[in-house]
Amino acid sequence: MPAGPSPFPCSPPPLYHVFLSSLLDLLLSTPLLLPGSPGSPKPPSAAPEQVHLSYPGEPGSMTVTWTTWVPVPSEVQYGLQPSGPLPFQARGTFSLFVDGGILRRKLYIHRVTLQGLLPGVQYVYRCGSAQGWSRRFRFRALKKGPHWSPRLAVFGDLGADNPRALPRLRRDTQQGMYDAILHVGDFAYNMDQDNARVGDRFMKLIEPVAASLPYMTCPGNHEERYNFSNYKARFSMPGNTEGLWYSWDLGPAHIISLSTEVYFFLHYGRHLVERQFHWLESDLQKANKNRAVRPWIITMGHRPMYCSNADLDDCTWHESKVRKGLRGKFYGLEDLFYKYGVDLQLWAHEHSYERLWPIYNYQVLNGSQEMPYTHPRGPVHIITGSAGCEELLTPFTLFPRPWSALRVKEYGYTRLHILNGTHVHIQQVSDDQDGKIVDDVWVVRPLLGRMMYL
Ligand SMILES: *[C@@H]1O[C@H](CO)[C@@H](O)[C@H](O)[C@H]1NC(C)=O
Ligand SMILES: *[C@@H]1O[C@H](CO)[C@@H](O)[C@H](O)[C@H]1NC(C)=O
Ligand SMILES: *[C@@H]1O[C@H](CO)[C@@H](O)[C@H](O)[C@H]1NC(C)=O
């Protein structure tokens, strides 16, 4: 979360500091300069680390991604038995990722997509090659078709330091509470830092969750460095945009992941704003043609359109860029999402939880006074960026806005249960209150006529 309108997320360390730590890195990485160092330097490892899953969008498939420090083959062995032999094998490829830091550290990122998985069945796998295997992990293949009830954990802004939500997310994952994770931008703080070692540390930290569940992402402002290179290299999202924007189907929902960052880091290319916008529009058109089958359209993007936090972020401005677009009129998302009847919009960036009344253009559009979320007449927004990071929590303004339904300044994350085509259940878990549910609402929309808000 940046303070103020500056395009840079947090104030960068002074230059001399960057220089000194880079110099130190160079010295430490040059063994000849350290004659007294004990033992021989550890050889670069062929053992997989930072194992994680993602769903490539094809039913019956799952992608395994991991890192090694030398180029070795990319293989996954898998099966149905928790112990004993793993009879199936799949092969993939690796790509070399060179971090933009002064050491130009080299990571070999391996990707293998498993196919033909039986829906809803639990698999055991390990990844690597003859030169080194990971430990065994378990995952459940996603069910097929629209007629099941996916459960998700949703959060943004999870750091390698102060990752408050992680222990509980781990426990939930072990208990099989979820089908997938949505991480709504801002990872590690930051993945590129310390020559991308912070990224390595973060990916190891989330492994107990991310190696067991598809870990679906969108980029946040903290991924900006070197044109989002750590984000693009480390994750494996569907589509051909290196995870900047894409969509996928999950049970009765169509889920769209987008980059709000294209509106802010214009020096990486103004064309990205336009390209994403046109893609969003055509994806929404397609999703609406299929709406009788998959009624829910859910979006996730890092920076919200609205928020009532006490800072100077984009969402605190009346005409936020995400809502109204560049110069207040180009490629704004609110009109687009309203026009195509998007049901639920998930955001993060503010390190807090905020739920809005159904809203369009500052008008509260409750279904009714008594049941605001039953047949709402505008999209529902949830801002969930309090999973925990070194930047701590974000305070709210003293008085909530009329469109703000609930504000929680506590660490936590959101549970989203897409029960069926008409009912979605949203709960906020507080880690400050040892897992207490601090928000609990149902959003109910009719089965048909979902495109139009009436
Ligand atoms: C940044 O990356 C995007 C695609 O990921 C690319 O289209 C764009 O040209 C890049 N910008 C620069 C300045 O390299
Ligand atoms: C929306 O519903 C909530 C909860 O009943 C209520 O407090 C609020 O005043 C309503 N807003 C409008 C504009 O109807
Ligand atoms: C969805 O579940 C709710 C709660 O059980 C039920 O009332 C509703 O009829 C269901 N909707 C559909 C389309 O099955």
Side-chain angles (χ1 to χ4, degrees), residues 399-411:
F399 301 104
R401 313 286 181 221
W403 37 262
S404 181
L406 180 74
R407 314 190 299 176
V408 181
K409 194 190 146 196
E410 288 172 7
Y411 290 108

PDB file of all heavy atoms in Angstrom, residues 399-411:
ATOM      1  N   PHE A 399     -15.106   8.742  10.396  1.00  0.00           N
ATOM      2  CA  PHE A 399     -16.504   8.437  10.107  1.00  0.00           C
ATOM      3  C   PHE A 399     -16.602   7.609   8.839  1.00  0.00           C
ATOM      4  O   PHE A 399     -16.026   7.987   7.824  1.00  0.00           O
ATOM      5  CB  PHE A 399     -17.320   9.726   9.966  1.00  0.00           C
ATOM      6  CG  PHE A 399     -17.267  10.562  11.196  1.00  0.00           C
ATOM      7  CD1 PHE A 399     -16.468  11.707  11.249  1.00  0.00           C
ATOM      8  CD2 PHE A 399     -17.981  10.195  12.331  1.00  0.00           C
ATOM      9  CE1 PHE A 399     -16.397  12.470  12.402  1.00  0.00           C
ATOM     10  CE2 PHE A 399     -17.911  10.959  13.489  1.00  0.00           C
ATOM     11  CZ  PHE A 399     -17.111  12.095  13.528  1.00  0.00           C
ATOM     12  N   PRO A 400     -17.335   6.485   8.910  1.00  0.00           N
ATOM     13  CA  PRO A 400     -17.474   5.673   7.699  1.00  0.00           C
ATOM     14  C   PRO A 400     -18.287   6.430   6.641  1.00  0.00           C
ATOM     15  O   PRO A 400     -19.070   7.314   6.964  1.00  0.00           O
ATOM     16  CB  PRO A 400     -18.232   4.431   8.169  1.00  0.00           C
ATOM     17  CG  PRO A 400     -18.719   4.715   9.538  1.00  0.00           C
ATOM     18  CD  PRO A 400     -18.023   5.931  10.059  1.00  0.00           C
ATOM     19  N   ARG A 401     -18.085   6.080   5.382  1.00  0.00           N
ATOM     20  CA  ARG A 401     -18.888   6.689   4.315  1.00  0.00           C
ATOM     21  C   ARG A 401     -20.259   6.017   4.299  1.00  0.00           C
ATOM     22  O   ARG A 401     -20.390   4.875   4.754  1.00  0.00           O
ATOM     23  CB  ARG A 401     -18.212   6.476   2.966  1.00  0.00           C
ATOM     24  CG  ARG A 401     -16.748   6.792   2.938  1.00  0.00           C
ATOM     25  CD  ARG A 401     -16.489   8.281   2.947  1.00  0.00           C
ATOM     26  NE  ARG A 401     -15.045   8.550   2.885  1.00  0.00           N
ATOM     27  CZ  ARG A 401     -14.431   9.492   3.581  1.00  0.00           C
ATOM     28  NH1 ARG A 401     -15.120  10.236   4.426  1.00  0.00           N
ATOM     29  NH2 ARG A 401     -13.142   9.696   3.450  1.00  0.00           N
ATOM     30  N   PRO A 402     -21.255   6.692   3.726  1.00  0.00           N
ATOM     31  CA  PRO A 402     -22.604   6.098   3.688  1.00  0.00           C
ATOM     32  C   PRO A 402     -22.654   4.767   2.927  1.00  0.00           C
ATOM     33  O   PRO A 402     -23.554   3.959   3.160  1.00  0.00           O
ATOM     34  CB  PRO A 402     -23.460   7.153   2.969  1.00  0.00           C
ATOM     35  CG  PRO A 402     -22.580   8.283   2.626  1.00  0.00           C
ATOM     36  CD  PRO A 402     -21.228   8.058   3.164  1.00  0.00           C
ATOM     37  N   TRP A 403     -21.710   4.534   2.036  1.00  0.00           N
ATOM     38  CA  TRP A 403     -21.714   3.290   1.245  1.00  0.00           C
ATOM     39  C   TRP A 403     -20.926   2.171   1.916  1.00  0.00           C
ATOM     40  O   TRP A 403     -20.860   1.066   1.403  1.00  0.00           O
ATOM     41  CB  TRP A 403     -21.175   3.549  -0.164  1.00  0.00           C
ATOM     42  CG  TRP A 403     -20.037   4.535  -0.234  1.00  0.00           C
ATOM     43  CD1 TRP A 403     -20.140   5.858  -0.553  1.00  0.00           C
ATOM     44  CD2 TRP A 403     -18.649   4.293   0.031  1.00  0.00           C
ATOM     45  NE1 TRP A 403     -18.901   6.460  -0.508  1.00  0.00           N
ATOM     46  CE2 TRP A 403     -17.975   5.521  -0.146  1.00  0.00           C
ATOM     47  CE3 TRP A 403     -17.904   3.167   0.413  1.00  0.00           C
ATOM     48  CZ2 TRP A 403     -16.593   5.651   0.041  1.00  0.00           C
ATOM     49  CZ3 TRP A 403     -16.536   3.300   0.595  1.00  0.00           C
ATOM     50  CH2 TRP A 403     -15.896   4.532   0.416  1.00  0.00           C
ATOM     51  N   SER A 404     -20.307   2.464   3.068  1.00  0.00           N
ATOM     52  CA  SER A 404     -19.495   1.464   3.752  1.00  0.00           C
ATOM     53  C   SER A 404     -20.336   0.700   4.766  1.00  0.00           C
ATOM     54  O   SER A 404     -20.949   1.298   5.650  1.00  0.00           O
ATOM     55  CB  SER A 404     -18.326   2.166   4.455  1.00  0.00           C
ATOM     56  OG  SER A 404     -17.525   1.211   5.106  1.00  0.00           O
ATOM     57  N   ALA A 405     -20.388  -0.621   4.633  1.00  0.00           N
ATOM     58  CA  ALA A 405     -21.264  -1.414   5.501  1.00  0.00           C
ATOM     59  C   ALA A 405     -20.548  -1.897   6.748  1.00  0.00           C
ATOM     60  O   ALA A 405     -21.124  -1.951   7.835  1.00  0.00           O
ATOM     61  CB  ALA A 405     -21.815  -2.604   4.726  1.00  0.00           C
ATOM     62  N   LEU A 406     -19.274  -2.290   6.592  1.00  0.00           N
ATOM     63  CA  LEU A 406     -18.535  -2.804   7.747  1.00  0.00           C
ATOM     64  C   LEU A 406     -17.049  -2.598   7.535  1.00  0.00           C
ATOM     65  O   LEU A 406     -16.524  -2.811   6.440  1.00  0.00           O
ATOM     66  CB  LEU A 406     -18.815  -4.309   7.934  1.00  0.00           C
ATOM     67  CG  LEU A 406     -18.088  -4.933   9.130  1.00  0.00           C
ATOM     68  CD1 LEU A 406     -18.725  -4.507  10.446  1.00  0.00           C
ATOM     69  CD2 LEU A 406     -18.049  -6.455   9.035  1.00  0.00           C
ATOM     70  N   ARG A 407     -16.362  -2.196   8.613  1.00  0.00           N
ATOM     71  CA  ARG A 407     -14.920  -1.995   8.525  1.00  0.00           C
ATOM     72  C   ARG A 407     -14.259  -2.726   9.694  1.00  0.00           C
ATOM     73  O   ARG A 407     -14.677  -2.593  10.839  1.00  0.00           O
ATOM     74  CB  ARG A 407     -14.588  -0.508   8.592  1.00  0.00           C
ATOM     75  CG  ARG A 407     -15.497   0.324   7.681  1.00  0.00           C
ATOM     76  CD  ARG A 407     -15.045   1.744   7.538  1.00  0.00           C
ATOM     77  NE  ARG A 407     -15.007   2.486   8.779  1.00  0.00           N
ATOM     78  CZ  ARG A 407     -14.552   3.729   8.863  1.00  0.00           C
ATOM     79  NH1 ARG A 407     -14.074   4.350   7.804  1.00  0.00           N
ATOM     80  NH2 ARG A 407     -14.550   4.359  10.029  1.00  0.00           N
ATOM     81  N   VAL A 408     -13.236  -3.507   9.380  1.00  0.00           N
ATOM     82  CA  VAL A 408     -12.541  -4.264  10.423  1.00  0.00           C
ATOM     83  C   VAL A 408     -11.042  -4.022  10.286  1.00  0.00           C
ATOM     84  O   VAL A 408     -10.435  -4.406   9.290  1.00  0.00           O
ATOM     85  CB  VAL A 408     -12.820  -5.781  10.296  1.00  0.00           C
ATOM     86  CG1 VAL A 408     -12.100  -6.545  11.398  1.00  0.00           C
ATOM     87  CG2 VAL A 408     -14.323  -6.074  10.347  1.00  0.00           C
ATOM     88  N   LYS A 409     -10.467  -3.385  11.298  1.00  0.00           N
ATOM     89  CA  LYS A 409      -9.021  -3.173  11.271  1.00  0.00           C
ATOM     90  C   LYS A 409      -8.345  -4.231  12.121  1.00  0.00           C
ATOM     91  O   LYS A 409      -7.930  -3.993  13.253  1.00  0.00           O
ATOM     92  CB  LYS A 409      -8.697  -1.763  11.786  1.00  0.00           C
ATOM     93  CG  LYS A 409      -7.273  -1.343  11.483  1.00  0.00           C
ATOM     94  CD  LYS A 409      -6.887  -0.059  12.202  1.00  0.00           C
ATOM     95  CE  LYS A 409      -5.415  -0.109  12.572  1.00  0.00           C
ATOM     96  NZ  LYS A 409      -5.067   0.891  13.572  1.00  0.00           N
ATOM     97  N   GLU A 410      -8.338  -5.454  11.585  1.00  0.00           N
ATOM     98  CA  GLU A 410      -7.707  -6.593  12.255  1.00  0.00           C
ATOM     99  C   GLU A 410      -7.083  -7.465  11.188  1.00  0.00           C
ATOM    100  O   GLU A 410      -7.564  -7.495  10.055  1.00  0.00           O
ATOM    101  CB  GLU A 410      -8.772  -7.408  13.011  1.00  0.00           C
ATOM    102  CG  GLU A 410      -9.301  -6.708  14.249  1.00  0.00           C
ATOM    103  CD  GLU A 410     -10.494  -7.432  14.871  1.00  0.00           C
ATOM    104  OE1 GLU A 410     -10.827  -8.543  14.430  1.00  0.00           O
ATOM    105  OE2 GLU A 410     -11.098  -6.862  15.781  1.00  0.00           O
ATOM    106  N   TYR A 411      -6.039  -8.195  11.572  1.00  0.00           N
ATOM    107  CA  TYR A 411      -5.476  -9.149  10.621  1.00  0.00           C
ATOM    108  C   TYR A 411      -6.481 -10.261  10.355  1.00  0.00           C
ATOM    109  O   TYR A 411      -7.233 -10.654  11.252  1.00  0.00           O
ATOM    110  CB  TYR A 411      -4.174  -9.742  11.175  1.00  0.00           C
ATOM    111  CG  TYR A 411      -3.052  -8.738  11.204  1.00  0.00           C
ATOM    112  CD1 TYR A 411      -2.599  -8.195  12.401  1.00  0.00           C
ATOM    113  CD2 TYR A 411      -2.456  -8.320  10.017  1.00  0.00           C
ATOM    114  CE1 TYR A 411      -1.571  -7.263  12.421  1.00  0.00           C
ATOM    115  CE2 TYR A 411      -1.425  -7.393  10.028  1.00  0.00           C
ATOM    116  CZ  TYR A 411      -0.985  -6.866  11.233  1.00  0.00           C
ATOM    117  OH  TYR A 411       0.017  -5.948  11.243  1.00  0.00           O
TER     118      TYR A 411
END
